[in-house]
Amino acid sequence: MTIPERAQLALLLEVASTPKPGNVDRRHEYADLRFEHFLAGAVGAREGLAMASAGDPVGEAFERAVAGMAQQEGSNTQFGAILLLVPLVRAAATGALTPDRADAVVRETTTADAAAFYRAFDYVDVAVAPPPEGETALDVRRGGEAVPAVEERGVTLRDIMAISAAHDGVAREWTGRFERSFDAADRIASGTGPIPDRAARVFLELLAEEPDTFVVIQHDAPTAREVVEQARGTLDGERTPDDLAADLIEKGINPGTTADLVAAGLYIALERGEVQV
Amino acid sequence: MTIPERAQLALLLEVASTPKPGNVDRRHEYADLRFEHFLAGAVGAREGLAMASAGDPVGEAFERAVAGMAQQEGSNTQFGAILLLVPLVRAAATGALTPDRADAVVRETTTADAAAFYRAFDYVDVAVAPPPEGETALDVRRGGEAVPAVEERGVTLRDIMAISAAHDGVAREWTGRFERSFDAADRIASGTGPIPDRAARVFLELLAEEPDTFVVIQHDAPTAREVVEQARGTLDGERTPDDLAADLIEKGINPGTTADLVAAGLYIALERGEVQV
């Protein structure tokens, strides 16, 4: 397999892993966001992932992957996962996939990468937090309209991620050496049994450790903290993962950032040859 | 989406469709042939499908797709489906996807295509029927070793399919204008609800109409006829599709040719824009 093939497979394995309470997986879906939307999202993302592997600018590769992903009727399926995969793919394409080398990719991003990142928001509705006070010109929800402001200020894509890191778990990976992604990979690699089962277990562990920032954005911080407690209780055997899944799906609570971390972890473990399908 | 993207999506939608009694799908698997093997098979097949779309020889494109598909530990996942997709993809790449134009692709195949087809058997164990009396030199199970005999006789890939058409449902599509594949597409297009649900329904209908040739090869003709009767009974409401699925999985009866036809039907419906994910 090639690097973009492994990245695409990671996206597919993530959504195949079940149960991942609150998320779409092969046994759970929402009426308007179904399993097949994620399959189509992974199909469409591949060309952008191949661009990242081939050496195209990180921002352009990301924009292309999101544009491809968005060619299905379920809207945003894997925006955050792709945002994690693109720098990891780039690091893997030029040498060993390590936190140091992934961090170096992030530090090399430019203002052009930031502009492409903003344009990616034109393809799909992504739930994000409002920008900090005084940063409304750089609100990602403006999409391509914010590009002049991005260029005028000369911010890099890493700078943009640093602004969001306080409230967005994916941005925090970008500015924090992909710590939880690599941790997820280690756990998946050291697990036993079929890979989707390992990934589902790791999803629950991550969910029990930190509030999912997507839940904070879509609902609020208390809801996200409650999900942490529920995940802990599930790991302690107070309820089954399937019951938690049914409960969260019913409430529409969708810990999507934690799923993004699992996708990144799956890719790292596949790329380093620590797991094989 | 591009043509190879739609072909890859068809492979993924096929295995996502559930229940398809006896086959691996997102809710059913065998211990040594699991859902994730099919995901990886679809990932690996894409490059060969892209070759078919780009105008590479049909045989080479098929060989490449099978080589890519076989890079997972579940052995043969989608050999028959890819064999149907490659000529359909080629037809779509040069004009409308119709039975006439698919048939024209088949009729243009050469001895070099036949040789590549034989080489594809070196990548994966495929259950096939023994060749007719006097045709042992052309036994596909010989793989690349049979290529000198193929070349000496100057047979085309269509000729090879004609030899197998009597006992292989995929070969019969090649020599019969892909009749059941196009029929499956029409049924999927005219169905209602999510595409995987439509595809599962069409699978059961096809299963009730003709003995699955893969079941004949792996088991015997009476077993295949019994599956037809069971599928009819299921359509008549005598039992649920889930019960039939559990029964066939337990017996290891795997109507793989019918699943191949559904994959081809999904691709045709996607390619013609009759369904959208």
Side-chain angles (χ1 to χ4, degrees), chain B residues 118 131 134-140 142 145-147 149-150 153:
Chain B
Y118 275 80
E135 297 286 4
T136 50
L138 296 182
D139 187 342
V140 290
R142 295 181 65 209
E145 283 178 23
V147 169
V150 169
R153 292 168 197 225

Side-chain angles (χ1 to χ4, degrees), chain A residues 1-2 4-6 8-9 12-13 16 25-29 34-37 39-47 64 68 71-74 193-196 276-277, chain B residues 1-2 4-6 8-9 12-13 16 25-29 34-37 39-47 64 68 71-74 193-196 276-277:
Chain A
M1 276 204 181
T2 63
E5 285 176 335
R6 283 188 284 269
Q8 185 184 41
L9 182 55
L12 292 168
L13 288 172
D25 65 39
R26 72 168 126 160
R27 291 194 296 119
H28 301 88
E29 52 192 2
R34 294 193 308 275
F35 185 67
E36 57 266 33
H37 296 138
L39 299 179
V43 167
R46 176 149 150 189
E47 192 181 316
R64 179 67 192 79
Q71 293 175 91
Q72 34 78 31
E73 296 176 355
I195 295 170
Q276 207 165 1
V277 174
Chain B
M1 276 204 181
T2 64
E5 285 176 335
R6 282 188 285 269
Q8 185 184 42
L9 182 56
L12 292 168
L13 288 172
D25 64 38
R26 70 169 128 159
R27 291 194 296 120
H28 301 88
E29 53 193 0
R34 295 192 307 275
F35 185 67
E36 58 266 33
H37 295 139
L39 299 180
V43 167
R46 176 150 151 189
E47 191 181 316
R64 180 67 192 79
Q71 294 174 90
Q72 36 77 29
E73 296 176 356
I195 296 170
Q276 207 164 1
V277 173

Side-chain angles (χ1 to χ4, degrees), chain B residues 180-209:
Chain B
R180 297 187 82 203
S181 300
F182 279 95
D183 177 44
D186 290 342
R187 296 184 198 205
I188 291 166
S190 65
T192 55
I195 296 170
D197 295 347
R198 301 185 198 188
R201 169 79 190 183
V202 171
F203 173 86
L204 199 58
E205 291 174 1
L206 296 179
L207 196 60
E209 285 164 10

Side-chain angles (χ1 to χ4, degrees), chain A residues 197-219:
Chain A
D197 295 347
R198 302 185 197 188
R201 169 79 189 184
V202 170
F203 174 86
L204 199 57
E205 292 174 2
L206 296 179
L207 196 59
E209 285 165 10
E210 282 189 31
D212 185 283
T213 54
F214 192 74
V215 175
V216 175
I217 290 163
Q218 280 215 313
H219 300 271

Side-chain angles (χ1 to χ4, degrees), chain A residues 12-277:
Chain A
L12 292 168
L13 288 172
E14 186 279 311
V15 74
S17 302
T18 183
K20 292 194 316 301
N23 281 285
V24 173
D25 65 39
R26 72 168 126 160
R27 291 194 296 119
H28 301 88
E29 52 192 2
Y30 294 90
D32 57 351
L33 186 62
R34 294 193 308 275
F35 185 67
E36 57 266 33
H37 296 138
F38 285 77
L39 299 179
V43 167
R46 176 149 150 189
E47 192 181 316
L49 296 167
M51 285 170 63
S53 177
D56 286 290
V58 164
E60 275 181 38
F62 176 72
E63 183 186 356
R64 179 67 192 79
V66 168
M69 174 208 82
Q71 293 175 91
Q72 34 78 31
E73 296 176 355
S75 188
N76 180 20
T77 47
Q78 291 122 328
F79 188 97
I82 293 169
L83 187 51
L84 293 174
L85 288 177
V86 165
L88 295 170
V89 160
R90 167 58 57 82
T94 55
L97 180 49
T98 63
D100 271 355
R101 299 192 69 261
D103 189 51
V105 169
V106 165
R107 289 183 186 278
E108 284 161 15
T109 59
T110 63
T111 300
D113 291 322
F117 173 73
Y118 275 80
R119 285 194 299 268
F121 283 84
D122 292 339
Y123 294 98
V124 61
D125 276 332
V126 184
V128 293
E133 287 279 333
E135 298 285 3
T136 49
L138 296 181
D139 187 341
V140 290
R141 293 171 299 183
R142 296 182 63 210
E145 283 178 25
V147 169
V150 168
E151 289 173 345
E152 198 226 319
R153 292 167 198 224
V155 288
T156 70
L157 184 46
R158 186 181 190 282
D159 294 334
I160 299 297
M161 293 295 163
I163 294 172
S164 303
H167 50 77
D168 182 318
V170 171
R172 209 175 295 156
E173 290 295 287
W174 264 67
T175 58
R177 299 164 53 81
F178 299 87
E179 185 181 349
R180 297 187 82 203
S181 300
F182 279 94
D183 177 45
D186 291 342
R187 296 183 199 206
I188 291 165
S190 65
T192 55
I195 295 170
D197 295 347
R198 302 185 197 188
R201 169 79 189 184
V202 170
F203 174 86
L204 199 57
E205 292 174 2
L206 296 179
L207 196 59
E209 285 165 10
E210 282 189 31
D212 185 283
T213 54
F214 192 74
V215 175
V216 175
I217 290 163
Q218 280 215 313
H219 300 271
D220 50 37
T223 304
R225 282 197 300 272
E226 197 185 317
V227 171
V228 169
E229 289 309 316
Q230 290 173 316
R232 284 180 190 165
T234 306
L235 286 172
D236 290 346
E238 287 168 20
R239 69 171 92 188
T240 68
D242 278 333
D243 288 343
L244 181 58
D247 186 34
L248 294 185
I249 290 263
E250 195 192 313
K251 293 179 183 153
I253 296 175
N254 169 221
T257 301
T258 307
D260 296 338
L261 296 170
V262 169
L266 281 162
Y267 170 65
I268 294 166
L270 286 167
E271 189 58 57
R272 301 199 297 199
E274 294 163 350
V275 297
Q276 207 165 1
V277 174

